[in-house]
Amino acid sequence: MSSSFDFYRSLSMALFNDMACVSWLRTANSEGLVRRFGGDPEGATEGTWEELLATAYEDLDEDEDGAMLAVRHGEWLITVEPFNFRGAVPEVLSGAGQEAYSVCWTGTGQSLVTYATAGEVVARFDAYDVDALSPAGLAWLDGHQVKAAHWREDWRAAALALGEELSGVRMDEDWLARPRPMFTLGPVRLPRRPRRLRVDDETKAIAKTDPRIARIIDEPTPDKAEEIILMAAEMAVVTAGVEGPDVTQALELIAAGDRRSGQADDVRSKLARSEKDFRTQAREAYAALAPQDREDWVAPGHGTTYGRLMIKAAAAVVLQTALTPDDDPAAFAIQVVNDIGGVYLSSENGDVARHRALSAAASYIEESDPPR
């Protein structure tokens, strides 16, 4: 496999333009997959990759949304998209039935790798961050000759080498230069498949001791988003030790889902002033210390007075965020959960595990909840 990796490392940047999505799909139903991508199996033309790239958006009919090559090699159908990333959509990949692997990237540095088998997504990660793979994803990758070390060295070469390992097909300049079946793609609406929230042992353990976490992960439906937001706000308040009528009122408004009233506006303004005051006090406490007794900057943390004041400021930010008007609580819950990382939660009281559980549930709900 090192020879394949070395081959693509020397060539991969020359194969494609600044953005592309390549998918390797093991299926007996090419026509069905072309339809799943939004193409018409009977409407194929022939063209090379360069000719496909020359088909600009303005050249497409108004009811078309992109184009792709789709090439059959034995059990595998290989698709290449220059404009859009249908191959990154789990519902598209799950239609492969047997096995599906895709890698997509943009000219701005974004990337996404997905692998699915038997209709289930096993791995989904940023190609630049293979270390963020789930245990199931790592187990999948370990079963192949292309290892995590290859991804760290050159993710694009690793991605293409893994596609070759799976399919047995070398994708090189000659492959792209040959005329291939080419399909224009129309808008496609795929049914959302039921998904399972994957939880680790730490999350399962905290759910046994926390009924609220248990309810959320047992049934992570969109109506749980408000409870996630409230739990995140409560954890921030307790960890930071902030208190007073403004904090109490903020929690009451968050619990009621009241973010648009004049009362909510007033409390947000008061919390913004409190945040500013905490930061000012932190800087003053920092300046009052001898240089050898302070860190290089006013950093948060529970070990110093100025650090604890910065954490109080972070808690005020969480409350303000949780009180911000938003029409999509499912997506908004992720932002609030991310914000509580700034209060330095404790692992001793289980809050780090709660944070992981809330983050997993919020991401699941946001991905599962149909767009409004």
Side-chain angles (χ1 to χ4, degrees):
M1 178 48 60
S2 60
S3 61
S4 294
F5 174 75
D6 291 340
F7 170 80
Y8 287 112
R9 186 170 52 179
S10 67
L11 188 64
S12 62
M13 294 301 293
L15 287 179
F16 299 104
N17 67 329
D18 286 341
M19 61 186 293
C21 184
V22 187
S23 304
W24 293 259
L25 309 152
R26 188 159 66 92
T27 178
N29 185 7
S30 295
E31 292 186 358
L33 262 178
V34 168
R35 290 192 184 93
R36 207 166 183 87
F37 273 80
D40 178 3
E42 297 181 0
T45 58
E46 280 213 337
T48 65
W49 172 245
E50 289 297 327
E51 289 170 338
L52 181 60
L53 288 178
T55 306
Y57 271 118
E58 53 265 28
D59 297 326
L60 300 172
D61 292 339
E62 61 181 28
D63 60 344
E64 294 171 340
D65 192 37
M68 72 174 183
L69 301 179
V71 188
R72 187 78 188 182
H73 289 278
E75 291 186 300
W76 292 84
L77 182 72
I78 300 177
T79 65
V80 190
E81 306 167 72
F83 302 143
N84 46 4
F85 300 143
R86 299 283 169 84
V89 179
E91 288 80 6
V92 170
L93 292 185
S94 67
Q98 295 171 291
E99 199 171 4
Y101 165 68
S102 75
V103 56
C104 309
W105 62 89
T106 71
T108 58
Q110 296 173 299
S111 66
L112 184 62
V113 180
T114 308
Y115 175 78
T117 183
E120 290 291 331
V121 173
V122 174
R124 190 167 171 83
F125 62 100
D126 184 332
Y128 289 96
D129 191 14
V130 68
D131 295 311
L133 265 170
S134 67
L138 285 171
W140 160 72
L141 191 58
D142 285 343
H144 295 283
Q145 297 178 54
V146 179
K147 304 297 185 184
H150 292 106
W151 288 85
R152 297 188 195 101
E153 184 176 346
D154 186 327
W155 70 262
R156 198 189 304 247
L160 295 171
L162 182 52
E164 178 176 326
E165 180 184 346
L166 291 169
S167 66
V169 178
R170 171 153 293 185
M171 184 172 288
D172 55 16
E173 291 172 308
D174 179 63
W175 192 96
L176 291 172
R178 297 179 188 177
R180 302 292 191 182
M182 187 167 68
F183 300 87
T184 55
L185 305 177
V188 58
R189 299 183 67 87
L190 295 165
R192 288 184 174 264
R193 301 170 59 249
R195 298 168 54 245
R196 292 183 294 108
L197 173 62
R198 297 181 182 275
V199 294
D200 56 23
D201 292 339
E202 188 180 19
T203 301
K204 292 175 183 176
I206 197 66
K208 291 180 179 178
T209 64
D210 190 326
R212 295 173 73 185
I213 291 291
R215 285 196 302 272
I216 289 170
I217 68 172
D218 284 348
E219 194 175 358
T221 50
D223 60 289
K224 298 296 195 308
E226 293 289 357
E227 188 168 359
I228 291 172
I229 293 170
L230 177 60
M231 282 197 70
E234 291 172 344
M235 288 164 59
V237 166
V238 171
T239 299
V242 291
E243 55 187 15
D246 296 337
V247 172
T248 300
Q249 192 172 19
L251 292 175
E252 290 173 350
L253 291 167
I254 294 166
D258 181 359
R259 300 185 180 88
R260 299 185 181 277
S261 66
Q263 193 176 32
D265 291 340
D266 182 57
V267 172
R268 274 198 310 275
S269 297
K270 291 178 179 177
L271 290 168
R273 290 194 292 271
S274 294
E275 176 198 349
K276 183 178 180 180
D277 289 344
F278 286 135
R279 295 188 189 280
T280 299
Q281 294 170 35
R283 287 192 294 269
E284 291 173 348
Y286 178 83
L289 292 174
Q292 66 270 20
D293 295 330
R294 62 195 188 197
E295 300 180 33
D296 293 337
W297 62 88
V298 189
H302 296 284
T304 62
T305 299
Y306 59 82
R308 289 189 291 272
L309 286 165
M310 290 294 285
I311 286 175
K312 291 179 185 291
V317 170
V318 172
L319 292 175
Q320 290 174 73
T321 303
L323 277 175
T324 302
D326 193 277
D327 292 326
D328 189 355
F332 189 50
I334 296 176
Q335 182 179 347
V336 178
V337 170
N338 287 342
D339 280 354
I340 64 173
V343 302
Y344 286 61
L345 297 168
S346 170
S347 59
E348 294 179 0
N349 66 1
D351 275 355
V352 169
R354 289 184 183 87
H355 184 219
R356 286 165 56 86
L358 293 179
S359 179
S363 297
Y364 175 93
I365 292 169
E366 195 276 333
E367 291 178 9
S368 302
D369 193 28
R372 288 165 171 76

